[in-house]
Amino acid sequence: MASDSNSSESQRIAQQRLRIIAGHLQKHKDDDSGTIATECKAEANKGTVPRKRQEIMKWNGWGYSDSKFLFNKKGQAEFTGKRYRLSGMVLPSLQDWFENTFGASVNHKSPATPALNASAVPPASLNEAFVEDLKATGIPFSHEAEDRVFRAHGHCLHEIFALREGKKFERVPDMVVWPNCHNDVVKIVELACKHNVCLIPYGGGTSVTSALECPPEETRCIVSLDTSQMNRILWIDEKNLVAHVEAGIIGQDLERLLNESGYCTGHEPDSMEFSSLGGWVATRASGMKKNVYGNIEDLVIHLKVVTPRGVIEKSCQGPRMSTGPDIHHFILGSEGTLGVVTEVTMKIRPIPEYQKYGSVVFPNFEAGVACLREVAKQRCAPASIRLMDNEQFQFGHALKPQVSSIFTNFVEGLKKFYITKFKGFDPHQLVVATLLFEGDRERVLQHEKQVYDIAATFGGLAAGEDNGQRGYILTFVIAYLRDLGMDYYVVAESFETSVPWDSLCFSLLLSFFRVLDLCRNVKERINRECKERGVQFQPLTSCRVTQTYDAGACVYFYFAFNYRGLADPVHTYERVEHAAREEILANGGSLSHHHGVGKLRKEWMKESISSLGVGMLQSVKDYVDPDNIFGNRNLL
Amino acid sequence: MSFLGHRSLMYKQGSSHSQDPMLKRDCFEDILEERRNSSDLKYALRCYAPVLYKGVTPCKANMLKNIVLQSDQLHYVINQVSQESGEAPDIIQEEASVILEEMAHRLQISTVRCFAFALSKAFKTLFQHVCVNEEGIQRLQQAIQEHPVVLLPSHRSYMDFLLMSYILYTYDLALPVIAAGMDFMGMKFVGEMLRMSGAFFIRRSFGGDKLYWAVFSEYVKTMLRNGFAPIEFFLEGTRSRTCKSLTPKLGLLNIVIEPFFKGEVFDVNLVPVSISYERILEESLYARELLGVPKPKESTSGLLKARRILSEDYGSIHVYFGQPVSVRSLAQGKVNRSTYNLFPRHIPRKPMEETQSFVNDTAYRIVRLQEDNMVLKPWVLMASLLLQNLEGLELSVLTEQTVWLRGLALSYAAFLDWPDQAPTAKVVSSSLALHRGLACVSGDRVSLVVGEPLGPVTPEEALFNRAVSVLSCASYRNQVLHVFLRPAMLAVAMHTAASSKKNEVYNCFSFLWDMFSNDFILCPGDTDFEEACYLLVKTGAVQMPQQDIVMTDIGQPTLSFFNGLLEPFLQGYQVVCRYLCEEASEGLTEKQYIPAVRSFAVKLILAGSAG
């Protein structure tokens, strides 16, 4: 600890602190409740993410190196590794679906460059004075090409595509630093200011908004500040149900560690395997179970942020304050333009006693949306409720693993027969809502009945727990599937928005929703743009309603196409996505619900929040970071 | 749609859409030919299974009414009206229901089949050919499946909408619902027949009636949004009695475009349809109506009397289904749709200025597209020449000049239906034969026919008869005006300008443009002056050295023809101005105004001081 001073005063304080910690530990032994505290650097790093991320993660794709989809010699799809429920399984229907949907063929491969070509990486231009001072602090850093490239991108299609193709990089960070705690960050930011070095905070690296891209016009030395080693839970306060956590922790570690003490945050964005707490704060993330736990802005109680002007934090942890505009809201969604989030105090909940998945099949998307709206209106949404359109429903089916027993196959067959034949559902129209209930057992069952009753009035038919659970598994593996697609000339991306309901229902057959209009118009716009831009194959456009609110919904789109015959597929893709976003905005959708703006959607900021609004944000930036040390140029 | 890009591209060259040398028009098929060779009854009873908008099941008329009556849009207005008037919402709701009852169509296929049978018989006696561009039909069929379609035919005759439905039935296309004026309701039986063949009736004026407007617009939008049927209405609002296009009315167009702006539909396809008649059934009726003889009220018995019409030959009809115009493409970059996002969609709002001017431009554009594809018969050119030679002219001269005018019209991309094989003399004589009621050849001279009533006539009566024949003839000349309008305005401007300086000519041109913007289809923002210059230069009548516009050696016939062409319109304004200066008293009402001008003109003509 900071005890290089000889004064007896500071020794006294240090001793007192140790006593308190010892007390805590003692108490922890006797009694599970109370406060569990950990001091900076007091413990070995137990996080999933090593400094050299490329040791366990793909350098040019999603997720773990050991987990990937591939078509085996028999042409059957397989998911490798041991980490997921789907791992090691054969997916017999995926090939047919893939070939039919995209007009692709397993014989037409577009393999990625096997390894990073270090000569394609621009040499590091280091600020020697900064490096000297940094060495003195003992904070680890690197300027190896692999480390720098890994932090030069997020997971936008164009970024991954460029990596796979071995394209030359225009600009990558010149070095990477790994602070270990808040104080390390303070030192780094001070040095950066002193030597006029550009800092780009890097959390989980799962950005899909070009937020991590280095601005090519940046001439200063760019330092990527990797927060992955700041991954401890510093204390848990069971009395107030809050935990104080270092912001570099990634979602899966946070949940796992809290679970060990019987708690959870309930914040589960689809990227939670890899995305970090600080990243959630910086992008205004949303978790799938927000209906019970809230979005990130509802979960945060206290923030500690290191900026070029110093450290921002509030002086108390009251649950709500009327102290002018909430300064947290300058930080939430600031996308790394103001500083680094180092520590967060956030709400925690006891792990729910009972969890149950569920699913409902509707005859068509319209009926499904009408049902979700009604559920939201009655404020009885389960922890998660999502509505997949028919394309996604079929996609989900294509991911069914080989069934081991004849019996389950038989039951599935019966179910299918009942839904499509007996109930008269058209398999090319029907859609499925997936549900997740949480709470104590009795309440869950009651809640479940309430939701199924509402669904029934919209023609919905309960379709079992398995279908529900499969829907959520899909979320975690879908990013891996994009890599498979890219091996066979298929590019894919997702984007999201939020939109008011604007409902108008007459009967089951006839309902008008702005949500529906937006989905239809965006899909149609994509199809039309693809045709006009020379895409030879029908694109896949699919959407799902992933969140419901009183006043609207969050809609998530998937979009993929076979790019054989296109000279510059990424450019084509970008033009189409651009058009799709314009369509979203014209139809009353927002610029983003939870992905953020980054550099990808900057051009619409003024239109979205007015030029006065942009001015307000700019003046905060100018005050907090007058020298643009946090120079990733996101947002504004 | 490449329509917009194409147009702006043409502008850069100082030309316009209609002068595109590459402009290709489709060929026509005569749909009566098959009718003459096979059973009408079988035709009327054949299987009719049109393709529909994205496979919707057509909605029963009653269900449609329910949807409208239950809509949030209508409820909002009902509550508003109720609060303003103090009446209970139930009563207003009842009123709305009555309005809708009066308005709504009751399309049923059996009535359509009756019409199909009867019209087949009638068309075969009245017309030689009914020609349709089948490629246009194919485009329409495609469009109907993709997006809601709005059919926008030109309006010259009562026949128009019967004809449209007849054609769509013939080609197995979805039958349209048609906005018709309330006048037809006077004809009890016929009105109901029309209703059952897809007409819905709207009052001619309902300016301040919020409830009426709400019911009406919701009714139309519901049909559009759900693609239950193509919607058909006449942009011109009423039949043009003069055969020149009327300036468009915007009310209904606003209504059908709004669902696109609100994102309720991905796009709306506007399909301009040009219906050209070789002879219009109402020919002489119109002339009399224009001269102040009241229009006969639509009545069933009147219709029966009109049967004598059946004994005459009305030549052929050409129906041209234009390229569908995508509202989405038109609006690209002109209207910011997101401004609609801050209001609940069910609350009616006045369209924004940006939208209004977009709708206005669109309307004008569509009418111009209608004009572009109007088929012109040789007679139209002859009528233009005869009207500049009211005392008559030698047949050989007329023939020679007609050939000359044909060349001019063709170089201005007129859609001329000139029989290819026949010698010119034959073409001229058969045109004269068909229109023997309007012009006759005596000796070697061709002149207008003036009806000679029995017994002694007053000079006023003689003048009236003469006016009828001139106006009837003018209705044919008017059909070609849109081809010549811009160069003709330039010719007049050159004639009146004090010098040949380009900017002075331009000023005169602008003056004429403003003055004529109610007479002709002139869209604000179009580069009409450049287009006119381009065309006159192209045909060699005018050259433009530096800052001047001057006539060439060979330009005289063209320019004087053009001056003569617009002369009557200029005179019209002159007479009105003289009237207003010399005779008009204070407190002249609109009602008195037209008869007063008319008798003032009579006085002038009889006194010999006006043509």
Side-chain angles (χ1 to χ4, degrees), chain B residues 126-129 156-157 159-160 243 275-286 308-318 375 377 379-380 430-439 472 475-476 479:
Chain B
L126 284 171
F127 304 108
Q128 294 166 15
H129 309 282
R156 302 286 174 269
S157 166
M159 289 299 299
D160 291 330
C243 274
I275 308 177
S276 348
Y277 295 90
E278 188 164 10
R279 260 189 82 192
I280 287 172
L281 276 75
E282 296 98 326
E283 185 177 84
S284 63
L285 270 180
Y286 284 162
R308 73 176 175 78
I309 289 178
L310 288 177
S311 56
E312 288 199 39
D313 177 3
Y314 285 88
S316 38
I317 304 177
H318 286 85
V375 172
K377 286 289 184 175
W379 170 249
V380 165
S430 67
S431 297
L432 284 168
L434 186 73
H435 296 278
R436 59 183 171 273
L438 290 179
S472 303
S475 73
Y476 290 94
Q479 294 178 27

Side-chain angles (χ1 to χ4, degrees), chain A residues 24 28 32-38 232-245 254-264 345-349:
Chain A
H24 284 318
H28 181 52
D32 250 343
S33 73
T35 308
I36 307 160
T38 322
R232 284 150 294 231
I233 295 178
L234 298 177
W235 46 256
I236 295 175
D237 178 350
E238 288 161 289
K239 297 289 183 279
N240 294 309
L241 283 175
V242 293
H244 189 67
V245 188
L254 177 61
E255 282 313 285
R256 196 187 64 240
L257 293 173
L258 281 175
N259 286 175
E260 286 170 10
S261 318
Y263 292 100
C264 66
T345 309
M346 72 187 296
K347 297 183 197 170
I348 53 171
R349 298 290 304 166

Side-chain angles (χ1 to χ4, degrees), chain B residues 503-539:
Chain B
N503 61 339
E504 278 192 51
V505 176
Y506 178 76
N507 288 341
C508 287
F509 185 91
S510 304
F511 173 78
L512 289 170
W513 195 98
D514 283 338
M515 188 173 73
F516 283 141
S517 59
N518 290 318
D519 295 80
F520 306 116
I521 304 304
L522 295 166
C523 325
D526 271 6
T527 50
D528 289 320
F529 182 71
E530 288 76 2
E531 190 181 321
C533 294
Y534 169 80
L535 290 176
L536 279 181
V537 170
K538 179 185 164 196
T539 45

